[in-house]
Amino acid sequence: MIRKAIIPAAGYGIRNLPVTKSIPKEMFPINGRPTIDYIVEEAILAGIEEILIVLSRNKNDIMNYFDRSIELECFLESRDKEHLIPSITPPKINLQYIRQHEALGLGHAVMLGEAFAGKEPVAVLLPDQVSLQRKSMLLPLIKSYEQYQRSVLGLQRVKPELLSSYGVVSAKELNSRLYSIQSIVEKPKHNPPSDLAIMGRYILKPDVFKWLKETKPGIGDEIQLTDALSKLCKTSGIVGYQYTTRWYDTSIEEDYIEVQQQAYRMKRRK
Ligand code: UTP
């Protein structure tokens, strides 16, 4: 049973400047809802009960979005627009927040969740990776965790020319879609070990925090989650689950346009 999830959302969003100077990329809308709302929904659909969102100073909009707005609710009531209230009601889940004072990297952001996770395995969802599936993309990872009792990574086959933007694994197939991870290379410039890239969904056992604390800044001078995961595959072992569904990376302009078009088409079909 995985009850807790961490959503790291404290990065600067440099690829999406200038808008991310004041609007967090996690608040970019898809069908009028912020991207991070889809991510929280995905966690809830997988049975997650508590979420820790890692924020930075200029990301208070995210906290405000998930809070109640009693004034707006009263206003809607007074204008006979009560039907809109459910759309502004916070999700029914225990949401917690922590500030990352400096953008020291994804690994550092996850490390801030140590006390929150305690002795339990924890799901990690990167909020710029979205799939529009109606079922939670975390569920197959949770199932793999239950089967192998090891940390689990979501994987996807990626075109060779795009591999240098991802963490890429070398892996041995266990059975269809499931792999035993041998090693991980972050953003390989040459000779990627395979075409299987990490897709922004993880189930991490508590020993990850021990490795994160020992991890020194790596590529981009940031504490990389993948460096700690490399240690994990050599010790307690990691399983990879290969997704075959379409993922959208909202930091990439083409993907962001495409996810909006696809979400709009799905809404029209309803
Ligand atoms: P990214 O590298 O995709 O996001 O990190 P970024 O740093 O915001 O964007 P660029 O690369 O500058 O354009 C993946 C996730 O990890 C979070 C980000 O907010 C994003 O959701 N992150 C990254 C942190 O929470 N803290 C960090 O120090 C770095």
Side-chain angles (χ1 to χ4, degrees), residues 186-217:
E186 181 62 21
K187 302 191 172 67
K189 287 215 172 75
H190 314 283
N191 307 324
S194 73
D195 63 348
L196 282 170
I198 303 176
M199 263 353 272
R201 296 291 180 274
Y202 314 74
I203 306 292
L204 300 176
K205 289 181 69 171
D207 56 341
V208 73
F209 295 108
K210 165 179 169 321
W211 295 116
L212 278 170
K213 278 188 258 180
E214 290 184 11
T215 302
K216 300 266 177 304

Side-chain angles (χ1 to χ4, degrees), residues 31-235:
N31 265 355
R33 281 170 62 199
T35 309
I36 195 163
D37 201 13
Y38 287 81
I39 308 298
V40 167
E41 182 182 42
E42 182 186 335
I44 294 172
L45 282 174
I48 297 292
E49 295 165 7
E50 289 177 44
I51 297 178
L52 177 74
I53 304 183
V54 184
L55 297 175
S56 57
R57 281 181 293 286
N58 64 342
K59 303 238 178 166
N60 291 336
D61 285 355
I62 296 178
M63 243 162 104
N64 293 341
Y65 178 78
F66 287 117
D67 201 352
R68 262 187 88 180
S69 175
I70 296 179
E71 187 193 326
L72 182 55
E73 286 173 25
C74 292
F75 181 80
L76 290 172
E77 255 170 22
S78 72
R79 301 292 154 104
D80 288 332
K81 293 193 188 300
E82 291 94 338
H83 66 283
L84 292 174
I85 293 179
S87 71
I88 60 155
T89 303
K92 287 193 177 41
I93 188 160
N94 177 348
L95 277 179
Q96 301 174 35
Y97 303 91
I98 192 166
R99 280 245 178 117
Q100 186 186 28
H101 301 300
E102 235 183 299
L104 297 177
L106 172 60
H108 181 260
V110 172
M111 195 163 64
L112 295 176
E114 183 178 17
F116 166 80
K119 291 187 174 16
E120 295 181 36
V122 72
V124 173
L125 299 93
L126 300 196
D128 50 1
Q129 311 279 333
V130 194
S131 105
L132 293 175
Q133 298 299 306
R134 293 202 173 86
K135 54 184 191 292
S136 175
M137 300 310 281
L138 265 188
L139 283 172
L141 267 56
I142 293 176
K143 216 169 131 210
S144 311
Y145 172 78
E146 282 164 356
Q147 189 179 353
Y148 289 94
Q149 297 293 311
R150 291 198 227 158
S151 292
V152 186
L153 308 180
L155 302 173
Q156 187 156 57
R157 295 207 183 277
V158 164
K159 288 187 200 132
E161 63 273 21
L162 299 177
L163 283 168
S164 60
S165 309
Y166 292 90
V168 182
V169 303
S170 124
K172 236 194 253 163
E173 195 165 353
L174 293 167
N175 57 49
S176 87
R177 293 203 189 195
L178 282 170
Y179 295 83
S180 168
I181 308 294
Q182 312 292 296
S183 62
I184 308 172
V185 188
E186 181 62 21
K187 302 191 172 67
K189 287 215 172 75
H190 314 283
N191 307 324
S194 73
D195 63 348
L196 282 170
I198 303 176
M199 263 353 272
R201 296 291 180 274
Y202 314 74
I203 306 292
L204 300 176
K205 289 181 69 171
D207 56 341
V208 73
F209 295 108
K210 165 179 169 321
W211 295 116
L212 278 170
K213 278 188 258 180
E214 290 184 11
T215 302
K216 300 266 177 304
I219 289 185
D221 211 18
E222 293 191 346
I223 297 176
Q224 298 288 350
L225 178 59
T226 42
D227 289 344
L229 295 178
S230 296
K231 295 278 175 26
L232 265 193
C233 32
K234 305 275 183 294
T235 51

